Amino acid sequence: MAQKVLVKMENVTKTYVMGKVTVQALREVSLDIYAGELLVILGPSGSGKSTLLNILGGMDTPTAGSVYFDGEDLSRAGDKRLTRYRRDEVGFVFQFYNLIPDLTARENVELAAGLVERPLPAEDVLREVGLEDRMDHFPSQLSGGEQQRVSIARAAVKNPRLLLCDEPTGALDHRAGKLILGLLARINRERGSTVVIVTHNTAIAAMARRVVRMRSGKIAEVAENPSPVPPERIAW
Amino acid sequence: MNVLVKKLWRTIWRTKGQFLAVAAVVTVGIAVYIAMNTAYYNLDRSKELFYRENNFADYYFHVVKAPQAVVKQVEAVPGVAAATGRLQKDVPVLKEGGGRATARLVSYPLPMAGCVNRLHLLAGQMFTGHPRSGAVEVLVDPQYAKANGLRFNDEITVVAEGRRVSLTVVGTATSPEFVYPMKDAASLVPEPETFGIVMLPLNQAQQILHMPGQINQVVIKLAPGADEEKVAEQVESLLEPYGNLASYPRKRQLSHAVLQAELDGLLTTSRTLPVLFLGIAAAIQFIMLGRMVKAQRLQIGIMKALGYGNRQIIMHYAGYALAVSAAGALLGSLLGLVLASTISQTYARYFNLPEAIGGVNARALWYGLVLSVSVGLLAGLTAARGVMAVNPAESMRPEPPRGAGQTVLEHWGALWRRLGPAWKMTLRAVARNRLRFGVTLVGTVFAVGMLVVSMFANDAIDYILQRHFYREQSYDYLVRFTAPVKESELLNIARLEGVYKAEPLLEIPVKMHFRNRERDDVLVGLSPGAALKTVTGVDGRPLALPGEGMLVSSRTAQKLGLRVEDRVTVETLLGIGPARRAEVKVLGVSRQLVGDASYVSLDLANRVLRERGLVSGVMLRVDPGRAAGVEQALNDMTAVSSVLSRRQELENFQQNLDSMIYFTAVMVAFAVVLGFAIVYNSSVIGFAERRRELALLRVLGFTGREVSGLVWRESLLQAVLGVALGLPAGYLMVLGYARAISSELYSLPAVVYPATYLLAALGGLLFVAGASLLATRGVSRLDMVDVLKNRD
Ligand SMILES: Nc1ncnc2c1ncn2[C@@H]1O[C@H](COP(=O)(O)OP(=O)(O)O)[C@@H](O)[C@H]1O
Ligand SMILES: [Mg+2]
């Protein structure tokens, strides 16, 4: 099957220098991410997953190696270009939601919508994540699962080509977590966004067609999963 | 070292900008406190000492002339502790270079012991009553001696009773009544070049003034507990036969009034400004520490879990405030001492107080330290009491609850909906941090207000200058005669080459009576079409001089409760000829910024005196190129008592502005420190609180500039509100200040020029911008990954 590569990472290395100590968070990682796929990156804490995701999302740049998005080399891009990249192409979902506490659910979504030329209607997206009744609530008035749904809506409203999720269920209970994963799968399916989910929870790997396993800053294995399980049926 | 102390040092080091900013505000507060208090204390002490040692009079009585023996009678009045009779008269001085000055001859009995208002020899030697040389020995005030380059044994020539008299200067001296040697309330400042105090023995004065065995003033010292008013009344009736000209208590004695106003001003400033500064410093620290405790919730929880008690942890945070206060007190004391010595030096230049003004006020230093530390500790303890509420288990949970909610503005639906998310965030952040925003706003308002007040003094002076020298009196010279002359004699002056215009005036010292009240005033008669003197009304607009009736001085009108159409009794106090009484109708109220007089037509003034065609002086407009010649000619006329040159008055006035500019600069600097410190701190706190949020926006794709804009919105709001409220607040402060230092003798007009408002507004915007820029300079370099990872 000839799939289009959306992001190509070539020998990406990330080194943190702290005084005399240097930490190699990523060591010569190469990975292709295909347009429209749902990819799970699995690995123990400290294996470099977040570092990889941050570089993918243009929040950080590699120490060595290249990252190509749609053929363009982002590893040499400056702050301006990276900002535009994040703005136009990427949606983020974090473990701790990271909503703006001073804005209501609707306004948090509108905040992101305002950044792109053709956003999806904010209210529609909020309705899709099941928050039609909570749109005018502030984050502090919402449960963790609800906040994470706002966070997904905020990422999805831009209709980004790349949706990056760092431990999106990490702070949630089982039921709320499954709901979130279901929403991510639906966005992948219905809007064709490329979704990358980073987790240390092996059970979640079952929902992806491809699973990348990381260990100590390296990719240990890329596994194909011919029959992904819908998130509703995953248990952990 | 104790670990907690180490942690405190690290915290201070990490927040050194904020630490310094608050310490700077404390420093200013303490410095002002110490400087003003020291200056006040020293000045007041030397004043009291000087007054006591030289037996400063409690009450003054001026008469036309009285036999010396009347002093014994006055002394016998119950309540009078001591009385001294003397002669005092202003006479023209003929300077060597041809110029003129006025000498106030003041006599002293010899021996001087026991006399009221003794003089204090500063340099040279005491005069003797009958020197062998036959010369008239005199002492002069040091400013006059200096301004005129007089040395000992120099001679000065005065004109008394139509004769030239040579006086030999044997030294310089001062006395409690000449601490601030100003000629009269109509002078703006002392004019040492043209006005001097000349002190001489009574017998010599009597001879020169042709008043053997006579005096024209009695000064008394009251017995402790005596009723001033009652004693004064009795003395007045005793002196009645000799022509009462004036009587006034010490508080209306010019030199004393000026000195006292200065002291009052110092005391007011030393009590208000430090409170303001320390209060704001305390408020900033309260907010800073409150925020620190909130942000370090987790750390506090851990410390508690380890077994630290509330008290230890609270003291740890309060220690921060304590360190700020100690640093501020130390720096403030140093700065305060420097300022105190500058202020004292300035006073030494203006006031003739022989006792050295100086010395460190140890009590002020100690109070300053105590004040600073207790305010700091109070703020620290109050802010840190939040430590008690931290539950160790709960503190370890993520995301401390944050009370976001609807703001008042949100009820204004239409307006709210129109705001973009950026403004909504800003407004909600403000609403969430109402206290911080409020304190910062108050600080900004005060700082902007202080800018207005600091610069206002210049406006007031300039206004006086403009109005006094350019609008109200357009003459180049004011010539006064030793005694009133016939108007026709003015021709001699009008004909002088270079005189463009000469307009007569008749000045009569009077007492005005209305119902049961009275007030001393000067009645000035001007010719109806006078162009060289403009009488202005209370609203500052020129008033036309009526042919009948009077434009009464606003102060007299106020004191007597006069209204237009009232009829006042005017009693003349000329000193020569009999006192006259006349009824004059009030037709308007005039307001003089400098001096104080009521105006009538020349004709009416003559009728009050029951004379015709008399003038006491003349106003001249001259050809600038020929001014020197005119001045020379005037100085040569014996009938001329004084020649007031507008140019010289102006120069003199401007010389006195140096020290004012210095104080303006210091006050402006203080205001800027205040504004800068408070905005900086609040911005640092706000920025720290929103770091995550701002980094997140960067993650979402906002540009560095857009994120900065968000931070700037809050500062902008602060600046605009601060300036908008600060300008009117400044005006109110100006009103209060002007009222505090105005007295019956002089008043400061509460005039603030638009340029001052503009500068203050600009200054306010600048320090808000500068401080927020400095505080948030990292905003475009926010490390997104780092910030999102570190959850405080
Ligand atoms: N800013 C940083 N400075 C130093 N070391 C870092 C930094 N960020 C991450 N690391 C290190 O890089 C490694 C990978 O971290 P991370 O990507 O966050 O792992 P994961 O998300 O898989 O838990 C860890 O050893 C971590 O300590
Ligand atoms: Mg991680």
Side-chain angles (χ1 to χ4, degrees):
Chain A
M1 162 166 79
Q3 278 183 304
K4 184 179 173 251
V5 174
L6 184 65
V7 189
K8 188 174 194 64
M9 300 180 87
E10 276 180 0
N11 302 321
V12 169
T13 293
K14 181 70 187 180
T15 316
Y16 291 110
V17 184
M18 288 183 303
K20 288 183 194 123
V21 191
T22 59
V23 179
Q24 287 236 309
L26 293 176
R27 310 164 190 235
E28 308 232 332
V29 171
S30 296
L31 176 67
D32 287 349
I33 299 173
Y34 301 112
E37 78 167 323
L38 187 151
L39 182 74
V40 166
I41 299 179
L42 200 60
S45 180
S47 55
K49 309 181 296 291
S50 293
T51 306
L52 181 79
L53 200 74
N54 289 338
I55 290 175
L56 274 178
M59 285 208 284
D60 211 346
T61 46
T63 313
S66 305
V67 180
Y68 299 94
F69 179 86
D70 208 4
E72 184 189 354
D73 188 358
L74 291 178
S75 51
R76 318 263 169 273
D79 178 60
K80 249 199 189 125
R81 173 68 193 111
L82 285 179
T83 300
R84 215 174 66 230
Y85 166 64
R86 289 198 302 273
R87 177 190 287 236
D88 297 338
E89 311 289 1
V90 186
F92 278 104
V93 175
F94 302 98
Q95 179 176 6
F96 293 112
Y97 338 125
N98 284 332
L99 296 177
I100 307 270
D102 282 331
L103 295 179
T104 61
R106 183 209 309 267
E107 288 160 2
N108 262 286
V109 176
E110 282 170 350
L111 183 71
L115 288 170
V116 292
E117 295 259 316
R118 268 188 293 276
L120 305 172
E123 299 191 359
D124 290 359
V125 182
L126 278 165
R127 213 167 282 125
E128 274 174 45
V129 299
L131 287 177
E132 56 269 41
D133 299 331
R134 317 299 302 267
M135 291 197 217
D136 292 320
H137 287 161
F138 286 95
S140 59
Q141 299 165 326
L142 297 173
S143 72
E146 284 162 343
Q147 288 189 57
Q148 194 62 303
R149 281 189 268 160
V150 176
S151 161
I152 290 174
R154 186 177 64 184
V157 75
K158 294 201 287 188
N159 201 8
R161 281 204 269 175
L162 189 57
L163 185 56
L164 303 174
C165 314
D166 195 350
E167 308 271 10
T169 61
L172 299 178
D173 63 29
H174 185 226
R175 227 166 61 97
K178 282 211 293 193
L179 189 62
I180 295 301
L181 294 176
L183 286 171
L184 293 175
R186 201 165 103 202
I187 289 168
N188 171 250
R189 203 170 54 236
E190 292 179 2
R191 301 214 189 280
S193 294
T194 306
V195 176
V196 179
I197 300 174
V198 157
T199 180
H200 65 274
N201 186 344
T202 36
I204 292 174
M207 71 183 280
R209 198 172 283 281
R210 260 184 354 133
V211 179
V212 176
R213 284 178 203 279
M214 293 192 66
R215 192 167 304 136
S216 313
K218 283 189 171 158
I219 292 180
E221 179 199 8
V222 180
E224 297 275 341
N225 178 9
S227 49
V229 184
E232 299 79 48
R233 286 203 272 126
I234 298 177
W236 66 84
Chain B
M1 208 196 302
N2 182 325
V3 186
L4 279 185
V5 176
K6 224 184 259 173
K7 178 172 177 316
L8 179 59
W9 279 122
R10 290 230 177 96
T11 310
I12 290 176
W13 182 246
R14 190 165 45 79
T15 58
K16 50 191 176 298
Q18 284 173 282
F19 185 92
L20 282 179
V22 190
V25 177
V26 176
T27 299
V28 169
I30 295 298
V32 171
Y33 177 78
I34 285 174
M36 299 287 186
N37 245 302
T38 305
Y40 172 81
Y41 184 75
N42 287 340
L43 191 60
D44 193 55
R45 205 182 36 156
S46 16
K47 179 201 86 171
E48 287 300 331
L49 205 67
F50 189 45
Y51 281 8
R52 191 149 20 92
E53 275 182 1
N54 294 280
N55 221 10
F56 189 27
D58 291 314
Y59 226 101
Y60 289 77
F61 301 91
H62 295 201
V63 294
V64 177
K65 70 173 157 184
Q68 228 169 305
V70 81
V71 178
K72 283 270 162 287
Q73 286 173 273
V74 171
E75 221 157 25
V77 170
V80 175
T84 297
R86 64 182 191 181
L87 280 174
Q88 180 178 314
K89 191 163 190 195
D90 288 1
V91 297
V93 180
L94 305 176
K95 290 201 203 175
E96 259 170 34
R100 252 176 210 243
T102 301
R104 177 157 298 166
L105 298 180
V106 188
S107 79
Y108 293 84
L110 282 174
M112 216 179 290
C115 129
V116 180
N117 280 355
R118 280 191 292 266
L119 51 78
H120 178 102
L121 190 68
L122 291 171
Q125 62 189 66
M126 184 53 78
F127 46 62
T128 49
H130 306 277
R132 256 184 294 136
S133 59
V136 181
E137 293 185 349
V138 298
L139 294 165
V140 295
D141 77 82
Q143 268 98 345
Y144 182 80
K146 186 161 175 245
N148 290 284
L150 288 179
R151 277 189 262 142
F152 302 147
N153 295 323
D154 278 357
E155 304 225 314
I156 51 179
T157 308
V158 298
V159 180
E161 300 305 301
R163 283 190 317 125
R164 288 171 187 235
V165 184
S166 273
L167 309 174
T168 308
V169 177
V170 293
T172 56
T174 178
S175 151
E177 56 186 326
F178 307 126
V179 167
Y180 195 67
M182 206 154 81
K183 189 173 175 201
D184 50 39
S187 323
L188 284 164
V189 289
E191 292 155 354
E193 260 153 59
T194 54
F195 178 74
I197 310 290
V198 173
M199 294 153 265
L200 73 174
L202 177 61
N203 63 310
Q204 300 280 28
Q206 285 170 333
Q207 201 183 338
I208 293 170
L209 298 173
H210 295 184
M211 289 172 84
Q214 307 275 322
I215 53 165
N216 66 2
Q217 282 186 8
V218 179
V219 289
I220 65 164
K221 191 91 198 121
L222 293 169
D227 180 347
E228 189 179 81
E229 298 265 319
K230 241 161 90 192
V231 173
E233 247 168 62
Q234 279 175 281
V235 175
E236 270 167 31
S237 69
L238 199 64
L239 296 174
E240 184 73 58
Y242 310 110
N244 270 325
L245 290 177
S247 56
Y248 48 88
R250 180 193 283 188
K251 71 171 198 282
R252 278 183 49 212
Q253 200 269 331
L254 194 52
S255 160
H256 171 78
V258 173
L259 181 56
Q260 198 57 48
E262 195 62 45
L263 282 167
D264 291 348
L266 270 179
L267 200 60
T268 313
T269 322
S270 82
R271 283 187 181 159
T272 49
L273 264 194
V275 169
L276 186 80
F277 275 74
L278 291 183
I280 287 176
I284 307 180
Q285 296 195 72
F286 176 77
I287 284 163
M288 246 178 92
L289 293 174
R291 136 88 195 167
M292 206 185 280
V293 167
K294 231 185 258 164
Q296 300 189 353
R297 219 167 60 103
L298 181 60
Q299 300 181 31
I300 295 169
I302 294 168
M303 283 195 268
K304 282 189 175 181
L306 287 175
Y308 280 101
N310 271 328
R311 196 134 60 123
Q312 274 170 300
I313 305 175
I314 286 179
M315 280 318 291
H316 169 65
Y317 287 99
Y320 189 94
L322 211 58
V324 169
S325 305
L330 192 73
L331 291 173
S333 299
L334 291 178
L335 182 62
L337 290 177
V338 171
L339 275 178
S341 97
T342 319
I343 296 175
S344 295
Q345 271 164 28
T346 312
Y347 284 146
R349 203 143 48 91
Y350 285 97
F351 295 119
N352 289 327
L353 282 168
E355 289 306 316
I357 311 177
V360 173
N361 185 352
R363 218 169 36 165
L365 287 177
W366 172 241
Y367 283 176
L369 183 71
V370 170
L371 194 69
S372 159
V373 165
S374 41
V375 168
L377 204 57
L378 194 73
L381 289 177
T382 328
R385 77 193 188 292
V387 164
M388 290 193 285
V390 176
N391 170 315
E394 194 156 316
S395 71
M396 317 237 174
R397 273 201 240 149
E399 195 72 7
R402 231 172 154 185
Q406 311 252 313
T407 65
V408 187
L409 269 178
E410 274 158 74
H411 301 300
W412 299 4
L415 181 72
W416 183 254
R417 251 172 274 128
R418 227 171 270 173
L419 293 173
W423 272 112
K424 285 182 185 169
M425 282 167 76
T426 304
L427 290 175
R428 289 208 184 108
V430 167
R432 184 155 37 75
N433 297 300
R434 277 188 293 274
L435 183 66
R436 167 153 54 86
F437 189 80
V439 166
T440 314
L441 190 60
V442 168
T444 314
V445 166
F446 271 120
V448 172
M450 242 179 97
L451 282 179
V452 174
V453 176
S454 320
M455 294 184 287
F456 139 77
N458 281 320
D459 291 355
I461 300 278
D462 185 75
Y463 179 77
I464 294 176
L465 209 68
Q466 289 298 329
R467 207 171 126 177
H468 184 65
F469 286 110
Y470 295 99
R471 293 226 323 265
E472 288 176 0
Q473 51 183 61
S474 17
Y475 51 75
D476 297 316
Y477 290 102
L478 174 62
V479 181
R480 288 196 172 101
F481 307 127
T482 44
V485 299
K486 285 278 169 204
E487 192 171 353
S488 54
E489 296 196 30
L490 290 185
L491 274 180
N492 291 330
I493 291 175
R495 281 210 206 101
L496 288 175
E497 218 171 326
V499 172
Y500 285 155
K501 193 175 237 168
E503 288 178 354
L505 81 166
L506 177 54
E507 290 173 302
I508 314 167
V510 296
K511 196 185 277 291
M512 303 228 189
H513 303 264
F514 183 68
R515 300 208 171 121
N516 288 323
R517 287 175 259 184
E518 53 178 50
R519 182 174 190 266
D520 288 344
D521 199 347
V522 180
L523 198 64
V524 180
L526 299 171
S527 44
L532 298 183
K533 167 79 200 170
T534 309
V535 182
T536 42
V538 181
D539 58 1
R541 267 185 248 159
L543 290 176
L545 195 68
E548 289 300 315
M550 160 169 69
L551 301 175
V552 75
S553 119
S554 61
R555 276 178 224 172
T556 299
Q558 205 179 7
K559 182 97 184 274
L560 304 188
L562 285 176
R563 301 234 200 95
V564 173
E565 298 290 313
D566 280 340
R567 302 185 72 87
V568 215
T569 306
V570 175
E571 180 191 358
T572 65
L573 302 170
L574 211 46
I576 36 173
R580 306 284 193 189
R581 277 171 170 262
E583 277 217 337
V584 182
K585 194 158 142 192
V586 174
L587 286 185
V589 179
S590 77
R591 175 144 180 246
Q592 301 291 111
L593 289 178
V594 184
D596 189 25
S598 296
Y599 295 88
V600 292
S601 67
L602 195 57
D603 188 45
L604 182 53
N606 268 294
R607 268 182 285 141
V608 167
L609 276 183
R610 303 205 197 140
E611 291 283 354
R612 201 180 282 165
L614 279 192
V615 301
S616 66
V618 63
M619 303 174 286
L620 302 179
R621 160 88 51 82
V622 303
D623 176 353
R626 295 212 163 109
V630 173
E631 212 173 324
Q632 182 70 50
L634 290 170
N635 285 333
D636 287 344
M637 298 181 179
T638 37
V640 167
S641 133
S642 70
V643 180
L644 214 74
S645 150
R646 185 169 85 141
R647 185 183 47 78
Q648 220 202 324
E649 253 188 304
L650 263 168
E651 275 171 17
N652 201 352
F653 189 69
Q654 262 137 7
Q655 268 175 10
N656 275 270
L657 293 183
D658 309 350
S659 65
M660 231 192 61
I661 285 164
Y662 170 78
F663 282 109
T664 301
V666 170
M667 291 301 270
V668 165
F670 286 175
V672 169
V673 165
L674 178 71
F676 195 88
I678 193 162
V679 174
Y680 175 78
N681 264 302
S682 145
S683 302
V684 167
I685 295 171
F687 184 40
E689 274 176 3
R690 298 175 69 182
R691 274 183 91 80
R692 288 173 51 71
E693 188 175 302
L694 299 173
L696 189 74
L697 291 172
R698 293 281 286 134
V699 170
L700 288 182
F702 280 84
T703 62
R705 188 190 283 255
E706 282 166 333
V707 173
S708 305
L710 218 55
V711 175
W712 272 91
R713 276 190 176 80
E714 198 170 329
S715 300
L716 187 72
L717 203 62
Q718 204 117 59
V720 167
L721 276 178
V723 165
L725 296 173
L727 297 182
Y731 183 67
L732 289 181
M733 284 157 85
V734 162
L735 277 183
Y737 183 74
R739 200 163 299 156
I741 73 159
S742 289
S743 63
E744 209 196 319
L745 288 172
Y746 56 60
S747 66
L748 200 61
V751 191
V752 181
Y753 287 170
T756 294
Y757 284 129
L758 201 69
L759 277 176
L762 220 64
L765 291 177
L766 271 179
F767 69 63
V768 172
S772 2
L773 202 63
L774 195 66
T776 60
R777 62 194 183 284
V779 74
S780 53
R781 285 183 281 109
L782 276 175
D783 185 340
M784 289 169 271
V785 179
D786 210 43
V787 168
L788 291 178
K789 195 179 298 174
N790 292 331
R791 309 183 41 78
D792 257 359

